[in-house]
């Protein structure tokens, strides 16, 4: 609005000025136009650089995040398996199943657990959603600059070809047998410990074990054996987890090529806008 007003004023002055004055006014108008063009180019260049830097930041963050998702996926699978299938309560569940299941049923159970917790479906889905989120942010950023969604090209993210780890929960049978031995062993030890405590009280301390004292002895013996049972079960759980980790083979995707490809796409897009 200001620009139009100034030009209008200059036009009026041209009609009312001498030739020399007219020449000076025209030179002033030309200088104003040149300065405006230079200012527009400077603003455009600065804005372009800001958008390029922002897109580079998003790309760097995306590649780093994708690498974290892929490389930490097995740890998350192990954590989920431990939370759902290990521990004292789950230990009793699988001890009972081990006692009542046939060999084929037990093998099928281990295969089901292997497929449920140690497949790449969830990882593929997470990586796909993360990549789509990145593409949408790049599209939004470029649209802000370009002001035309139909003219915005976004980089293409290929579906990650992640190798499938062949993890088999085959150690669950040995794990359950060991838990059975722990439970039977601690039950026997509980009885022996109670008998030993009573013998010490009667023969060494010289106090007759009756009523409340006998109950206290039973409770103390039970608590001691319960703690031992939990410790042994946790140790046994750890051995099963170690057997699963031993089957895991690390793999490395070509993140450098992906990073370079995305950066080249940014250079190509913003280079076309200069």
């Amino acid at each position: 609005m200001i620009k139009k007003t100034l030009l209008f004023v200059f036009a009026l002055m041209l009609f009312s000025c001498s030739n020399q004055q007219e020449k000076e006014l025209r030179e002033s108008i030309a200088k104003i136009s040149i300065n405006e063009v230079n200012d527009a180019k400077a603003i455009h260049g600065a804005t372009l650089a800001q958008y390029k830097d922002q897109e580079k930041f998003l790309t760097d963050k995306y590649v780093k995040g994708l690498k974290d998702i892929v490389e930490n996926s097995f740890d998350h699978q192990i954590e989920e398996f431990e939370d759902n299938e290990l521990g004292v309560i789950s230990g009793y569940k699988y001890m009972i199943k081990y006692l009542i299941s046939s060999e084929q049923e037990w093998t099928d159970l281990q295969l089901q657990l292997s497929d449920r917790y140690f497949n790449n479906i969830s990882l593929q889905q997470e990586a796909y959603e993360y990549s789509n989120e990145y593409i949408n942010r790049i599209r939004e950023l470029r649209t802000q600059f370009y002001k035309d969604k139909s003219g915005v090209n976004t980089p293409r993210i290929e579906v990650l070809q992640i190798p499938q780890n062949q993890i088999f929960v085959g150690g669950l049978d040995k794990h359950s047998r060991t838990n059975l031995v722990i439970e039977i062993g601690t039950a026997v030890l509980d009885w022996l410990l109670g008998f030993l405590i009573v013998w010490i009280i009667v023969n060494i301390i010289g106090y007759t074990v009756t009523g409340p004292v006998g109950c206290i002895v039973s409770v103390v013996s039970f608590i001691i054996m319960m703690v031992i049972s939990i410790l042994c079960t946790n140790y046994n759980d750890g051995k099963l987890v170690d057997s699963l980790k031993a089957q895991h083979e690390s793999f490395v995707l070509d993140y450098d090529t992906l990073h370079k490809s995305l950066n080249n796409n940014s250079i190509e897009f913003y280079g076309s806008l200069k």
Side-chain angles (χ1 to χ4, degrees), residues 142-158:
R142 292 184 180 183
T143 303
Q144 289 175 2
F145 185 86
Y146 200 69
K147 309 300 182 184
D148 182 9
K149 290 185 179 181
S150 62
V152 173
N153 294 321
T154 54
R156 180 180 178 183
I157 303 295
E158 301 290 343

Side-chain angles (χ1 to χ4, degrees), residues 111-226:
L111 288 171
Q112 290 170 9
L113 292 174
S114 302
D115 184 63
R116 182 188 307 168
Y117 292 102
F118 301 104
N119 64 73
N120 283 343
I121 296 176
S122 58
L123 173 58
Q124 293 277 12
Q125 181 65 25
E126 185 178 3
Y128 176 77
E129 291 175 356
Y130 186 72
S131 298
N132 269 348
E133 181 182 345
Y134 164 75
I135 291 297
N136 290 334
R137 296 186 70 177
I138 292 297
R139 180 181 292 109
E140 180 182 354
L141 185 68
R142 292 184 180 183
T143 303
Q144 289 175 2
F145 185 86
Y146 200 69
K147 309 300 182 184
D148 182 9
K149 290 185 179 181
S150 62
V152 173
N153 294 321
T154 54
R156 180 180 178 183
I157 303 295
E158 301 290 343
V159 177
L160 292 178
Q161 299 301 320
I162 301 174
Q164 176 68 53
N165 264 319
Q166 300 298 324
I167 307 296
F168 179 55
V169 193
L172 190 62
D173 53 354
K174 181 180 178 181
H175 175 267
S176 299
R177 285 197 304 269
T178 303
N179 278 344
L180 276 171
V181 172
I182 291 172
E183 291 305 312
I184 295 173
T186 51
V188 173
L189 288 176
D190 180 23
W191 183 83
L192 292 176
L193 179 62
F195 179 80
L196 178 62
I197 293 173
V198 170
W199 184 87
I200 292 173
I201 292 174
V202 172
N203 293 278
I204 298 179
I205 300 178
Y207 187 87
T208 304
V209 177
T210 58
V213 176
C215 291
I216 293 173
V217 169
S218 298
V219 170
V220 170
S221 176
F222 174 78
I223 291 174
I224 292 174
M225 287 301 105
M226 180 61 69

Side-chain angles (χ1 to χ4, degrees), residues 3 11 17 66 82-83 89 122 164 172 195 249 256 268:
K3 176 183 173 184
C17 293
L66 183 65
E82 287 183 283
D83 291 340
I89 296 177
S122 58
Q164 176 68 53
L172 190 62
F195 179 80
E249 295 181 5
D256 291 338
E268 180 180 350

Side-chain angles (χ1 to χ4, degrees), residues 244-264:
L244 297 174
K245 291 181 178 180
Q247 299 178 55
H248 175 63
E249 295 181 5
S250 299
F251 51 85
V252 179
L253 301 180
D254 193 355
Y255 301 105
D256 291 338
T257 298
L258 174 63
H259 201 174
K260 183 178 179 180
S261 174
L262 296 175
N263 282 335
N264 287 341

